[in-house]
Amino acid sequence: MTDDPFSRDDPVDRPPDETPAPRQPDAAPPIGPPGPAPAGASEPDDPPASGPGAEAATGRAAPLGPYAEEAAGGRAARRPRSTDPLELGFTPRKPVPWLAPFLLISTGLRTLLAVLFGAYLDKRELQKALDAEVARQVGPDGGLWLDYVADLGDGFNATYSIAYLLAQPELTVDGHRLPRAQTLVMGGDQVYPSAAYEAYEDRCKGPYQAALPATPAEQPTIFAVPGNHDWYDGLTAFLRLFVRTRDRHFGGWRTGQSRSYFAAELPADWWLLGLDDQSGSYVDDPQLTYFDTVAKRLGPQSRVILAVPAPAWVKAVDEPSAYDSIDYFIRTIVAPTGARVRVLVSGDLHHYARYAGPDGRQLITSGGGGAYLYPTHKLPERIEVPPRDTLARRSSPSRAYDLAGRYPDAGRSRRYGWGIFSRLPRRNPGFTTLLGILHTLLMLSMAGVTDFRVEAAEQRLFSVPLVMMVLVTVLSAALFAKPPSTHGKRHARHWILGVGHGLAHVGLAAAGTWAWLALPFHDWPWPLPAVAAAAVYLPVIGLVASQLVAAYLLVAGSFGVNLNELFAGQGIEDAKGFVRLRIDPDGTLTIYPIVVDRVARRWQVNPDQSPEASWLTPTTPLHPRLAEPPTTLR
């Protein structure tokens, strides 16, 4: 079934104590039936009148397909006349239901395979055969506007809301006029949940092509850093999409890199370096050799913006070795040149956060490109980078960095956590069904014990089915309580909370069994009780059990356990953003963290038919603002 996010308007995606803002009048009527084709839509390179690219007999435009813009020679493809996937050329998707049983299993298997066989799937050494390009990015005025967005390939509403803002010729944000950037950096996890071809088309490339369908007069350039989800297929799809020798465009952007990592010379001796550490592994030798060559062009006056896949400075609080690769790169490649790394920027955590150090270096997390919101209220107020307890034999001197800005703020982040009670069953119906099945089996096992003599009941308590169900329940809950990172250590709080969560489910099953035995269904001849349990007991207990899981996640989250699951289970689409940077010709760097509190839910075909205009516009205007005042570096 095709997912349809266009008519969705979810008022629950607000903190519980917020009231909805008055709805503004729609800018134009909502989407209706397809109208006549816009004048001038036909081009000499349009698909032929017959064959796979021909228009359907209904008169709708033919599907664009993955090579439509290539066939058009980089020019704008036919503009859609409706939001039908056949018109758009891709299928808009709903947010990923991260607690869906099959998705949990498949994601777990992909993570396990990435951990066990990541070295065997690593294609970075093979990239030595590719060109070692170093780009140069300068705007027409001698300065440069640069955008950074990460964690973007999720549900259409959030992903396209951000892509739409990135593609606009100019944004006015809190009184600042900010032109469209000449350079766009995608900071990792361009697609969810896996790096499949269809996922890239529907969740990443399609929305961005719809946002900027044609090349502007001054074509912007796009660079991309691979994240852990991009690595799930060994980087195959990522390389085919962003590392190309022909047809180097991504919607209206031009791809600017020749490998999975990159370097770009910016105005006033600023440099942009994009690092690929393959989910925290060693930096490969061809990559180090490439950056050694780049380093020969750096000097004491050079300043570096380093884009990395994950905020290792924050993750090092729980896993000190997380920062080792970045520190090694800075210490051995950049530092010997006398250049300074002024900005470290990453995605991976789906929020905005900025740490400032005594040396003026900024550590920025900007992962609000479309994926579910990740909380900010558990961010440490002060961190040491590199961490003092790292096991690395050599490391840079540790410096203290203070949390200088975050979005959403801590209070709003906490309030979002309470939304787990309503969003968990609604966003993850498969997970609720799974809970209902497990609890129904557990109840039937307990109810079976009561069918025997009183003197034999104690012996039956140790029967295999009941013991197995109790053990599976408690063990599953204990393993569910995990540290935030794959390699993080389990502490006592994880086991206490996990086992307590499992025992709570056993207690709920006992209460459900007592209630079930009070009903007449239990006395029906077999197999009618099982049928009645599946039809009546399962949906009710599934919903109740989901609320027990929600309560556990809320309590555990206050101890820093299962914090990711607390928010992943909600799939919060709102509170998204990106960072726009301005480098002046004199070398001054200004950082504008742009956020939108509420993404659009309904879209209409853009009445502006000019080639560069976004295909779809929100029926209710988006209201971008700054997460904090601009930060200036000199």
Side-chain angles (χ1 to χ4, degrees), residues 21 67 98 190 211 464 498 546 594:
Y67 300 107
W98 286 104
Q190 278 69 244
V464 174
S546 72
I594 301 173

Side-chain angles (χ1 to χ4, degrees), residues 398-619:
S398 294
R399 292 186 174 92
Y401 288 77
D402 294 318
L403 182 60
R406 60 180 142 190
Y407 175 83
D409 60 65
R412 188 179 181 190
S413 176
R414 289 191 187 92
R415 293 193 295 272
Y416 268 127
W418 285 90
I420 187 66
F421 292 101
S422 61
R423 295 192 189 104
L424 177 63
R426 183 165 49 87
R427 299 285 196 195
N428 308 275
F431 182 71
T432 303
T433 302
L434 176 63
L435 290 174
I437 293 172
L438 293 177
H439 269 271
T440 300
L441 293 175
L442 189 56
M443 180 273 294
L444 292 175
S445 297
M446 290 183 174
V449 173
T450 64
D451 289 337
F452 295 87
R453 304 183 308 276
V454 175
E455 58 269 23
E458 293 182 1
Q459 180 180 352
R460 292 295 299 171
L461 284 174
F462 295 96
S463 62
V464 174
L466 180 56
V467 170
M468 285 184 59
M469 289 304 303
V470 171
L471 287 177
V472 167
T473 301
V474 176
L475 184 60
S476 299
L479 295 177
F480 184 67
K482 59 186 183 65
S485 63
T486 304
H487 304 286
K489 295 181 179 179
R490 289 179 179 269
H491 300 286
R493 67 178 184 273
H494 295 95
W495 295 110
I496 294 173
L497 289 167
V499 173
H501 181 209
L503 293 177
H505 278 281
V506 174
L508 175 62
T513 302
W514 174 82
W516 179 256
L517 294 176
L519 298 174
F521 306 114
H522 178 65
D523 298 325
W524 290 358
W526 187 261
L528 293 181
V531 174
V536 178
Y537 185 83
L538 190 151
V540 174
I541 198 63
L543 183 61
V544 174
S546 72
Q547 297 304 289
L548 176 58
V549 173
Y552 159 76
L553 290 174
L554 191 63
V555 173
S558 65
F559 292 93
V561 177
N562 288 124
L563 199 59
N564 180 61
E565 287 72 21
L566 172 62
F567 278 73
Q570 299 185 58
I572 299 170
E573 295 182 273
D574 293 322
K576 297 295 179 282
F578 61 97
V579 173
R580 181 159 291 180
L581 301 93
R582 165 65 179 174
I583 300 177
D584 292 327
D586 65 358
T588 302
L589 173 68
T590 307
I591 303 169
Y592 300 91
I594 301 173
V595 298
V596 58
D597 294 322
R598 181 168 173 80
V599 303
R601 262 65 171 185
R602 300 191 66 196
W603 306 91
Q604 61 186 4
V605 174
N606 192 350
D608 181 357
Q609 296 295 305
S610 57
E612 299 175 23
S614 300
W615 285 347
L616 305 175
T617 59
T619 57

Side-chain angles (χ1 to χ4, degrees), residues 13 56 65 98 125 164 207-208 237 254 286 299 306 321 342 344 358 402 458 479 484 504 509 553 573 582 602 611:
D13 275 349
W98 286 104
E125 277 79 4
Y164 176 82
Y208 272 76
R254 179 185 183 276
L306 182 58
S321 63
R342 298 302 308 277
L344 272 164
D402 294 318
E458 293 182 1
L479 295 177
L553 290 174
E573 295 182 273
R582 165 65 179 174
R602 300 191 66 196

Side-chain angles (χ1 to χ4, degrees), residues 356-390:
D359 55 354
R361 180 183 293 176
Q362 307 295 312
L363 311 178
I364 298 175
T365 304
S366 178
Y372 65 88
L373 177 67
Y374 189 83
T376 61
H377 62 275
K378 283 296 181 178
L379 287 173
E381 296 292 334
R382 170 168 283 202
I383 58 177
E384 287 189 336
V385 182
R388 293 183 184 273
D389 51 353
T390 178

Side-chain angles (χ1 to χ4, degrees), residues 96-120:
V96 176
W98 286 104
L99 295 186
F102 291 111
L103 182 60
L104 283 174
I105 294 171
S106 63
T107 303
L109 289 175
R110 290 189 184 98
T111 303
L112 179 62
L113 291 174
V115 172
L116 294 178
F117 303 108
Y120 303 99

Side-chain angles (χ1 to χ4, degrees), residues 14 18-24 598:
R14 302 184 183 90
E18 290 188 2
T19 56
R23 187 176 182 87
Q24 301 182 18
R598 181 168 173 80

